[in-house]
Short mmCIF file of all heavy atoms in Angstrom, two decimals:
data_model
loop_
_atom_site.label_atom_id
_atom_site.label_comp_id
_atom_site.label_asym_id
_atom_site.label_seq_id
_atom_site.Cartn_x
_atom_site.Cartn_y
_atom_site.Cartn_z
N ALA A 35 13.87 8.56 4.34
CA ALA A 35 13.34 7.38 3.75
C ALA A 35 13.94 6.15 4.31
O ALA A 35 14.94 6.19 5.04
CB ALA A 35 13.72 7.48 2.23
N THR A 36 13.18 4.97 4.22
CA THR A 36 13.74 3.78 4.58
C THR A 36 14.15 2.81 3.35
O THR A 36 14.34 3.39 2.37
CB THR A 36 12.67 3.03 5.40
OG1 THR A 36 11.62 2.77 4.57
CG2 THR A 36 12.26 3.81 6.64
N GLY A 37 14.22 1.62 3.59
CA GLY A 37 14.58 0.64 2.38
C GLY A 37 15.93 0.29 2.56
O GLY A 37 16.74 0.84 3.41
N GLY A 38 16.42 -0.54 1.54
CA GLY A 38 17.87 -0.92 1.60
C GLY A 38 18.78 0.17 1.21
O GLY A 38 19.95 0.19 1.92
N THR A 39 18.44 1.12 0.27
CA THR A 39 19.47 1.91 -0.16
C THR A 39 20.00 2.94 0.88
O THR A 39 21.27 3.09 0.76
CB THR A 39 18.77 2.73 -1.43
OG1 THR A 39 18.09 1.84 -2.25
CG2 THR A 39 19.79 3.44 -2.27
N PRO A 40 19.30 3.51 1.60
CA PRO A 40 19.85 4.47 2.61
C PRO A 40 20.68 3.94 3.82
O PRO A 40 21.22 4.73 4.48
CB PRO A 40 18.79 5.39 3.13
CG PRO A 40 17.51 4.50 2.80
CD PRO A 40 17.87 3.52 2.00
N LEU A 66 8.81 9.46 5.26
CA LEU A 66 7.83 9.44 4.04
C LEU A 66 6.71 8.45 4.30
O LEU A 66 5.61 8.69 3.92
CB LEU A 66 8.65 8.68 2.91
CG LEU A 66 9.49 9.57 2.21
CD1 LEU A 66 10.34 8.71 1.15
CD2 LEU A 66 8.78 10.72 1.25
N ASP A 67 6.92 7.34 4.96
CA ASP A 67 5.75 6.34 4.86
C ASP A 67 5.94 5.30 6.11
O ASP A 67 6.93 5.24 6.76
CB ASP A 67 5.84 5.62 3.59
CG ASP A 67 7.26 5.24 3.08
OD1 ASP A 67 8.17 5.32 3.80
OD2 ASP A 67 7.39 5.02 1.90
N TYR A 80 8.64 0.92 9.67
CA TYR A 80 9.65 1.85 9.32
C TYR A 80 10.11 2.77 10.57
O TYR A 80 11.16 3.18 10.52
CB TYR A 80 9.13 2.77 8.21
CG TYR A 80 9.08 1.99 6.91
CD1 TYR A 80 8.30 2.52 5.82
CD2 TYR A 80 9.74 0.80 6.75
CE1 TYR A 80 8.47 1.81 4.59
CE2 TYR A 80 9.77 0.10 5.57
CZ TYR A 80 9.06 0.59 4.50
OH TYR A 80 9.09 -0.04 3.26
N LEU A 131 15.01 10.54 -0.86
CA LEU A 131 14.14 9.56 -1.48
C LEU A 131 14.97 8.36 -2.11
O LEU A 131 16.07 8.62 -2.56
CB LEU A 131 13.44 10.19 -2.72
CG LEU A 131 12.49 11.36 -2.48
CD1 LEU A 131 12.21 11.89 -3.94
CD2 LEU A 131 11.31 10.90 -1.71
N GLY A 132 14.35 7.21 -1.88
CA GLY A 132 14.77 6.10 -2.70
C GLY A 132 13.85 6.04 -3.91
O GLY A 132 13.01 6.95 -4.10
N ILE A 133 14.06 4.93 -4.79
CA ILE A 133 13.06 4.90 -5.87
C ILE A 133 12.72 3.37 -6.08
O ILE A 133 13.67 2.48 -6.00
CB ILE A 133 13.62 5.51 -7.12
CG1 ILE A 133 12.56 5.48 -8.27
CG2 ILE A 133 14.93 4.86 -7.58
CD1 ILE A 133 13.05 6.36 -9.40
N GLY A 134 11.58 2.98 -6.21
CA GLY A 134 11.08 1.64 -6.50
C GLY A 134 11.39 1.28 -7.92
O GLY A 134 11.57 2.19 -8.74
N HIS A 138 8.11 4.21 -8.06
CA HIS A 138 7.40 4.86 -6.88
C HIS A 138 8.38 5.58 -6.08
O HIS A 138 9.54 5.33 -6.06
CB HIS A 138 6.65 3.82 -6.02
CG HIS A 138 7.45 2.81 -5.20
ND1 HIS A 138 7.10 1.48 -4.95
CD2 HIS A 138 8.55 3.02 -4.48
CE1 HIS A 138 8.02 0.96 -4.19
NE2 HIS A 138 8.82 1.86 -3.99
N VAL A 139 7.84 6.71 -5.45
CA VAL A 139 8.69 7.40 -4.45
C VAL A 139 7.74 7.45 -3.20
O VAL A 139 6.62 7.66 -3.40
CB VAL A 139 9.12 8.79 -4.89
CG1 VAL A 139 10.31 8.75 -5.76
CG2 VAL A 139 7.96 9.73 -5.59
N GLY A 140 8.36 7.35 -2.02
CA GLY A 140 7.56 7.02 -0.89
C GLY A 140 6.88 5.71 -1.25
O GLY A 140 7.32 4.89 -1.99
N PHE A 141 5.46 5.70 -0.97
CA PHE A 141 4.72 4.59 -1.50
C PHE A 141 3.60 5.12 -2.50
O PHE A 141 2.45 4.72 -2.64
CB PHE A 141 4.08 3.78 -0.37
CG PHE A 141 4.87 2.75 0.17
CD1 PHE A 141 5.04 2.51 1.46
CD2 PHE A 141 5.72 1.88 -0.76
CE1 PHE A 141 5.87 1.45 2.01
CE2 PHE A 141 6.46 0.86 -0.30
CZ PHE A 141 6.58 0.61 1.13
N ASN A 165 9.68 -6.08 -1.51
CA ASN A 165 9.93 -5.80 -0.08
C ASN A 165 9.87 -7.10 0.80
O ASN A 165 10.20 -7.22 1.85
CB ASN A 165 8.84 -4.84 0.51
CG ASN A 165 9.25 -3.41 -0.01
OD1 ASN A 165 10.16 -3.30 -0.81
ND2 ASN A 165 8.50 -2.42 0.48
N ARG A 167 11.89 -9.43 0.57
CA ARG A 167 13.12 -9.74 1.03
C ARG A 167 13.40 -9.49 2.60
O ARG A 167 14.25 -10.00 3.21
CB ARG A 167 14.18 -9.22 0.13
CG ARG A 167 14.44 -7.75 0.24
CD ARG A 167 15.32 -7.24 -0.97
NE ARG A 167 15.83 -5.93 -0.73
CZ ARG A 167 15.23 -4.84 -1.08
NH1 ARG A 167 13.97 -4.75 -1.55
NH2 ARG A 167 15.89 -3.65 -0.80
N PHE A 168 12.65 -8.58 3.04
CA PHE A 168 12.84 -8.13 4.41
C PHE A 168 12.13 -8.89 5.51
O PHE A 168 12.27 -8.91 6.69
CB PHE A 168 12.48 -6.69 4.71
CG PHE A 168 13.36 -5.76 3.69
CD1 PHE A 168 12.73 -4.98 2.70
CD2 PHE A 168 14.78 -5.62 4.03
CE1 PHE A 168 13.62 -4.13 1.97
CE2 PHE A 168 15.57 -4.77 3.35
CZ PHE A 168 14.97 -4.09 2.20
N LYS A 202 18.27 -0.92 -10.77
CA LYS A 202 17.55 0.41 -10.76
C LYS A 202 17.97 1.18 -12.06
O LYS A 202 17.54 2.22 -12.24
CB LYS A 202 18.00 1.12 -9.61
CG LYS A 202 17.61 0.68 -8.20
CD LYS A 202 16.10 1.03 -7.95
CE LYS A 202 15.57 0.26 -6.66
NZ LYS A 202 15.97 0.74 -5.38
C1 F6R E 1 10.93 3.88 1.75
C2 F6R E 1 10.39 4.30 0.48
C3 F6R E 1 10.53 3.68 -0.80
C4 F6R E 1 11.87 3.05 -1.00
C5 F6R E 1 11.90 2.35 -2.40
C6 F6R E 1 13.33 1.84 -2.76
O1 F6R E 1 10.55 4.73 2.72
O2 F6R E 1 9.65 5.29 0.52
O3 F6R E 1 9.97 4.34 -1.88
O4 F6R E 1 12.77 4.22 -1.13
O5 F6R E 1 11.03 1.29 -2.37
O6 F6R E 1 13.65 0.80 -1.77
P1 F6R E 1 15.04 0.10 -1.62
O7 F6R E 1 16.03 1.34 -1.14
O8 F6R E 1 14.91 -0.95 -0.69
O9 F6R E 1 15.32 -0.37 -3.08
#
Side-chain angles (χ1 to χ4, degrees):
T36 61
T39 314
L66 281 170
D67 41 20
Y80 286 168
L131 296 175
I133 184 168
H138 73 217
V139 281
F141 275 134
N165 289 3
R167 70 192 197 275
F168 299 115
K202 295 278 168 77

